[in-house]
Amino acid sequence: MTKTALITGATAGIGAAAARLFAGRGWKVVGTGRRGDRLRAMQEELGAAFLPLELDMRDVNTLRQLDGLAGDWGGLDLLVNNAGLAPPADPLHEQDWDRLDQVIETNITGLVALTQALLRKLIERQGGIINLSSVAATYPYRGGAVYGGTKAFVRQFSLDLRCDLAGTGVRVSSIEPGMAETEFTLVRTGGDQAASEALYSGMDPMTPEDLAETIWWIATLPSHLNINTLELMPTRQSFAGFSVTRKG
């Protein structure tokens, strides 16, 4: 039986790489994203193995209707919650609320709504859920209060969801990557290509393909194994020291 994965944020970066990898290895892939032109291009590239769904992760009503997928796309073996946003890395008091709200609705509300809607299908097939968190869930940095907070939620949500699904055969994993060169920074900086290139210059960051292979590895492990959390970084990324302010 051909397996089916639903991958959010399949229009670029890790989501697009994962869609290509899973389709190329014989799975059917439902790919979601806001940019319909990219989804259609992906469908042309992958053919009948790919079903494009143009949607916004903030549209909870539409997300909840995805449990109605039927026919050849009715079964579900894997949900990859990859879609996510980050606000600019500025202190909280300097940030725009509308942007922060968009990040929270995408990274938390949409993820929870979609996961809840698809649990029945995943339980039927004893499938898996792989949530993309971040090292920002564990290591704080200036300007990361909201983004890091949402990714900490994703990590804890994954662990608690495992408890809810005990005995169902459904596996739940949180992947927590460090620096990976995708469109993430370009979006975060409002399209500042120079800033994006400077961030990754000379440090051999992870690639979307690296993370796609990690997702594949977790998804295809023997069914009696569950990866709870997996943190990974490029070799050239490590940990910063504590910040100290001094009386002037």
Side-chain angles (χ1 to χ4, degrees):
M1 180 177 63
T2 302
K3 291 189 175 184
T4 301
L6 190 151
I7 302 172
T8 66
T11 56
I14 298 167
R20 290 187 176 98
L21 187 148
F22 276 79
R25 295 181 181 176
W27 284 51
K28 293 186 298 183
V29 176
V30 181
T32 77
R34 292 179 297 165
R35 292 173 285 191
D37 57 335
R38 294 196 179 191
L39 289 173
R40 288 187 290 273
M42 183 76 73
Q43 185 179 37
E44 291 180 8
E45 175 186 342
L46 301 179
F50 185 78
L51 177 66
L53 294 179
E54 185 176 351
L55 57 83
D56 191 316
M57 289 297 294
R58 295 174 295 167
D59 185 353
V60 171
N61 289 332
T62 297
L63 294 175
R64 294 185 60 81
Q65 293 172 18
L66 294 186
D67 67 338
L69 286 171
D72 291 341
W73 302 95
L76 186 62
D77 300 280
L78 177 67
L79 169 61
V80 180
N81 280 313
N82 163 73
L85 293 174
D90 298 319
L92 184 63
H93 59 280
E94 297 177 6
Q95 297 205 26
D96 176 72
W97 170 252
D98 288 341
R99 177 61 172 171
L100 296 178
D101 191 40
Q102 182 184 23
V103 171
I104 294 167
E105 288 186 351
T106 299
N107 295 7
I108 295 179
T109 306
L111 182 147
V112 174
L114 179 60
T115 302
Q116 184 190 44
L118 296 176
L119 281 179
R120 178 182 58 82
K121 289 181 176 292
L122 290 161
I123 291 170
E124 286 175 356
R125 302 274 278 259
Q126 295 189 346
I129 301 168
I130 299 177
N131 295 322
L132 268 293
S133 180
S134 168
V135 295
T138 303
Y139 307 107
Y141 63 94
R142 182 182 184 275
V146 170
Y147 179 71
T150 65
K151 290 305 183 178
F153 174 90
V154 171
R155 183 182 196 275
Q156 192 63 40
F157 174 72
S158 303
L159 295 173
D160 285 293
L161 186 58
R162 274 214 71 205
C163 297
D164 287 354
L165 295 171
T168 66
V170 177
R171 299 184 291 176
V172 185
S173 302
S174 171
I175 299 180
E176 296 154 19
M179 294 174 71
E181 189 168 10
T182 68
E183 292 183 6
F184 176 86
T185 303
L186 196 61
V187 173
R188 183 177 217 174
T189 60
D192 189 336
Q193 184 67 42
S196 180
E197 292 175 357
L199 178 66
Y200 299 113
S201 175
M203 57 84 57
D204 298 324
M206 293 184 292
T207 68
E209 290 72 24
D210 293 332
L211 275 301
E213 287 285 359
T214 303
I215 293 168
W216 173 264
W217 174 70
I218 292 175
T220 56
L221 283 170
S223 61
H224 67 285
L225 298 177
N226 191 97
I227 301 298
N228 296 327
T229 63
L230 179 63
E231 178 184 298
L232 61 165
M233 293 180 180
T235 305
R236 291 183 180 274
Q237 182 182 18
S238 186
F239 315 101
F242 287 105
S243 173
V244 177
T245 59
R246 303 187 186 278
K247 293 182 289 185

